[in-house]
Amino acid sequence: MRGSFITYMTIDIEGFRKHIEENYSEFGVNKVQEILRLVFEISKRERIPYEDIFDAAPENGKEGSHRFMHLKQYLLQRRFPSFSKEERRKHGLFKDLSIEPEYRASIKKSERIIPKRFFIEEAVSKTALVDRLRKKFKTAEFASISTYKDHVKNRVYSLKDFNNRLDEFYIVQEKYDFFIECPCSNNSVPCGYNTMNLGIGCGFDCAYCFLQGYINSPGILIQANIEDYFACFKRTGKDIRVGTGQFTDSLVFDHITEYSPLLVEFFRGYPKSIFEFKTKSDNVDLLFTVKPSENIMVSWTLNPQIIIDNVEFGTNSLEERLQAAARCVDYGYKVGFHFDPIIVYDKWKDDYECVVNRLFDLIDDKRIGWISLGALRMTAKLKQVIENRFPQTNILDGEFLIGYDEKLRYSQRQRDIIYSTMKSFIRAKSKSVHLYLCMEDQGLCSACDINTGDMQKV
Ligand code: SF4
């Protein structure tokens, strides 16, 4: 990725399309789609008008598929210069390019979220959570619904609903999916993480977040029957590594649910299991209302401030996250850190090194349970969602092609450099802190000498 994160270009997609259709009239729909996407991405990445790209394309004077192949090879090489010819051949299908201005996300400020409207399922209307919400949010609207499923069954979901999700909080009963093993990616080394499914939807708006391509709910879902989760855990009787940070940020709504003290108190009784709060917030006050426990970890996702400012909208700053972590350590909790996703741009090495150094300036490595590393990756569908919700972002300008798990990924070489570099920064500060890679295959774990498989024994 070139330049700073603060770039914005309005690109005339329909102008491109017309240009291709007029000048390459023999191309069918799929060929137009492929060329359109490649030219669009080059134009955005290099910040140049599309005419310049066509002008620079080698003239071959031939008609038909030969002409298409020549043009495509040129564009592929220009769009993905660091991939080999062989790698570029496995690029997969280039998805249609369609950017709807109405899907654009409105950029949120970092502040505590105050719900305006709750929909309460009948089955949970008498729970302690609903009782707390009624007392705490006196000016909010409360409406009773039979079930969430029934309430939304006739609604047609679009990305506009995702953008407005904080307008509606659904307080629901979970019946089945109390704990879910993290599905990981195909052929990745699993880290043994389990999700306690206590919230679906997040109050933050990270441009890369997988939830925006995964969720089709018009609001935030919060499960009220936390006692049923605890009962399910007791019944299962297994020691696991578990956390609430898969389908939401673990603490972004903690001032609303007040779940964190309950979780600490419950998991303290299972010292062979590890419970992890994973967050980008500094919403930690309620953790200090209960006694800490060695098997409770509070962990933060970290990125350089330039990425937080331009990609992780609504989240707390790097310094606020680290100060919150330092408070948790002082109080007696263990902490963890996730450099995930790591995003490559001009000064990424310098900036990530500063983050690592600041982290170890503030936090004693003996209180760090683990640090994970993961490079930016996404499905092709998520890429389309990002283009629509964050058309100004340049995180997509990096070089991503289909990887071993069918996700768009930086090349293997690039990821090797990312992890080896990050590891060297971290090892310069701590020889012993446990490192693992998130969603990477065994080959890369071995190449970087990072033992992700060990996490399954934690
Ligand atoms: S904090 Fe996590 S769950 Fe929330 S928007 Fe960011 S990536 Fe998604």
Side-chain angles (χ1 to χ4, degrees):
M1 187 180 310
R2 300 168 177 210
S4 89
F5 274 81
I6 312 161
T7 62
Y8 183 68
M9 269 185 74
T10 308
I11 296 182
D12 173 16
I13 296 171
E14 285 320 303
F16 280 9
R17 198 186 298 275
K18 223 165 140 224
H19 180 95
I20 299 168
E21 285 166 354
E22 282 172 9
N23 291 279
Y24 302 87
S25 55
E26 74 274 26
F27 290 2
V29 178
N30 290 342
K31 287 182 176 155
V32 170
Q33 179 176 310
E34 288 203 278
I35 299 301
L36 178 66
R37 176 161 280 289
L38 283 166
V39 174
F40 167 79
E41 292 188 10
I42 294 167
S43 173
K44 186 164 174 293
R45 178 178 151 90
E46 299 183 13
R47 293 175 219 159
I48 56 166
Y50 68 87
E51 294 90 342
D52 290 6
I53 302 166
F54 285 111
D55 286 350
E59 273 297 326
N60 54 63
K62 296 193 177 87
E63 293 289 314
S65 59
H66 216 82
R67 192 177 184 221
F68 171 74
M69 283 317 296
H70 271 270
L71 179 60
K72 184 172 166 184
Q73 286 312 328
Y74 168 75
L75 296 174
L76 276 174
Q77 206 270 329
R78 186 158 172 178
R79 174 63 185 90
F80 304 104
S82 69
F83 282 88
S84 68
K85 198 170 172 189
E86 190 52 39
E87 287 167 329
R88 284 197 289 267
R89 228 176 255 143
K90 297 186 210 140
H91 59 69
L93 181 71
F94 288 118
K95 292 259 187 194
D96 190 22
L97 184 64
S98 164
I99 298 181
E100 300 293 335
E102 62 176 348
Y103 293 156
R104 190 168 178 165
S106 54
I107 302 306
K108 295 177 181 60
K109 282 192 287 191
S110 169
E111 54 190 24
R112 295 274 185 272
I113 290 150
I114 306 296
K116 295 189 273 289
R117 198 182 309 157
F118 290 103
F119 293 91
I120 315 282
E121 279 191 348
E122 271 166 19
V124 297
S125 61
K126 303 269 186 305
T127 54
L129 173 66
V130 172
D131 201 35
R132 280 199 300 278
L133 296 176
R134 286 189 189 280
K135 287 188 184 128
K136 202 163 179 173
F137 299 101
K138 290 207 162 60
T139 58
E141 276 177 47
F142 285 80
S144 182
I145 57 174
S146 59
T147 63
Y148 164 78
K149 216 170 150 188
D150 191 53
H151 183 74
V152 299
K153 69 173 187 272
N154 295 325
R155 272 176 80 156
V156 180
Y157 174 82
S158 84
L159 280 178
K160 275 205 289 189
D161 295 294
F162 188 85
N163 290 340
N164 297 329
R165 66 197 178 282
L166 291 177
D167 291 349
E168 299 182 0
F169 279 72
Y170 292 87
I171 310 302
V172 301
Q173 181 189 38
E174 180 57 62
K175 290 186 184 153
Y176 312 106
D177 292 330
F178 298 107
F179 295 89
I180 307 167
E181 268 180 45
C182 175
C184 213
S185 268
N186 289 342
N187 301 320
S188 294
V189 181
C191 69
Y193 184 76
N194 293 268
T195 300
M196 187 173 180
N197 193 19
L198 265 184
I200 302 179
C202 184
F204 296 142
D205 230 334
C206 304
Y208 50 72
C209 180
F210 86 101
L211 292 176
Q212 55 193 329
Y214 178 83
I215 283 180
N216 56 4
S217 157
I220 303 293
L221 268 64
I222 292 179
Q223 290 78 352
N225 51 326
I226 190 168
E227 298 76 15
D228 292 339
Y229 288 73
F230 295 153
C232 172
F233 185 87
K234 281 187 201 165
R235 269 196 313 276
T236 321
K238 258 172 64 182
D239 296 316
I240 53 174
R241 190 163 78 88
V242 59
T244 42
Q246 176 101 348
F247 299 115
T248 184
D249 179 286
S250 294
L251 295 175
V252 66
F253 300 132
D254 202 45
H255 58 293
I256 299 171
T257 64
E258 300 183 8
Y259 274 165
S260 64
L262 305 178
L263 290 162
V264 175
E265 292 292 16
F266 178 78
F267 282 102
R268 181 203 317 288
Y270 298 89
K272 290 189 182 152
S273 286
I274 295 188
F275 183 86
E276 181 182 18
F277 295 99
K278 205 189 274 188
T279 189
K280 292 188 180 102
S281 82
D282 66 353
N283 203 3
V284 291
D285 290 352
L286 291 178
L287 290 170
F288 306 141
T289 61
V290 283
K291 227 171 75 191
S293 177
E294 276 299 281
N295 65 326
I296 308 291
M297 299 243 321
V298 194
S299 70
W300 278 264
T301 303
L302 301 181
N303 253 319
Q305 188 60 42
I306 189 169
I307 294 183
I308 294 173
D309 287 341
N310 294 288
V311 181
E312 296 178 346
F313 299 110
T315 62
N316 282 96
S317 70
L318 173 66
E319 191 60 24
E320 286 166 343
R321 294 179 205 181
L322 290 174
Q323 292 294 346
R327 285 174 68 206
C328 285
V329 169
D330 284 349
Y331 190 75
Y333 286 105
K334 280 181 113 169
V335 290
F337 298 96
H338 302 280
F339 286 93
D340 190 359
I342 299 166
I343 298 177
V344 172
Y345 56 98
D346 282 356
K347 278 169 60 261
W348 74 272
K349 285 186 186 168
D350 294 345
D351 289 354
Y352 279 96
E353 185 172 23
C354 287
V355 178
V356 170
N357 291 345
R358 183 68 185 142
L359 156 59
F360 285 99
D361 283 349
L362 288 174
I363 310 288
D364 177 356
D365 69 341
K366 289 180 204 63
R367 299 306 295 161
I368 300 176
W370 52 69
I371 296 180
S372 78
L373 306 174
L376 181 60
R377 58 208 174 268
M378 71 205 82
T379 61
K381 181 185 164 205
L382 176 57
K383 181 175 165 182
Q384 286 180 304
V385 173
I386 298 171
E387 281 169 348
N388 274 275
R389 294 196 66 238
F390 301 98
Q392 78 283 16
T393 190
N394 56 6
I395 60 171
L396 300 178
D397 296 351
E399 292 183 58
F400 305 94
L401 284 176
I402 296 288
Y404 67 89
D405 57 354
E406 300 300 312
K407 286 190 178 143
L408 295 167
R409 288 176 169 274
Y410 294 123
S411 71
Q412 174 115 355
R413 282 182 304 286
Q414 177 74 77
R415 294 189 339 264
D416 193 338
I417 292 168
I418 291 172
Y419 299 134
S420 304
T421 305
M422 290 298 291
K423 184 179 161 188
S424 72
F425 295 155
I426 293 165
R427 285 289 172 248
K429 294 289 175 180
S430 169
K431 298 283 175 249
S432 58
V433 71
H434 192 85
L435 282 182
Y436 72 92
L437 298 187
C438 185
M439 291 197 189
E440 284 294 356
D441 64 4
Q442 186 55 55
L444 206 52
C445 293
S446 305
C448 303
D449 194 19
I450 293 179
N451 196 345
T452 300
D454 269 4
M455 286 303 288
Q456 293 165 54
K457 300 179 209 142
V458 171

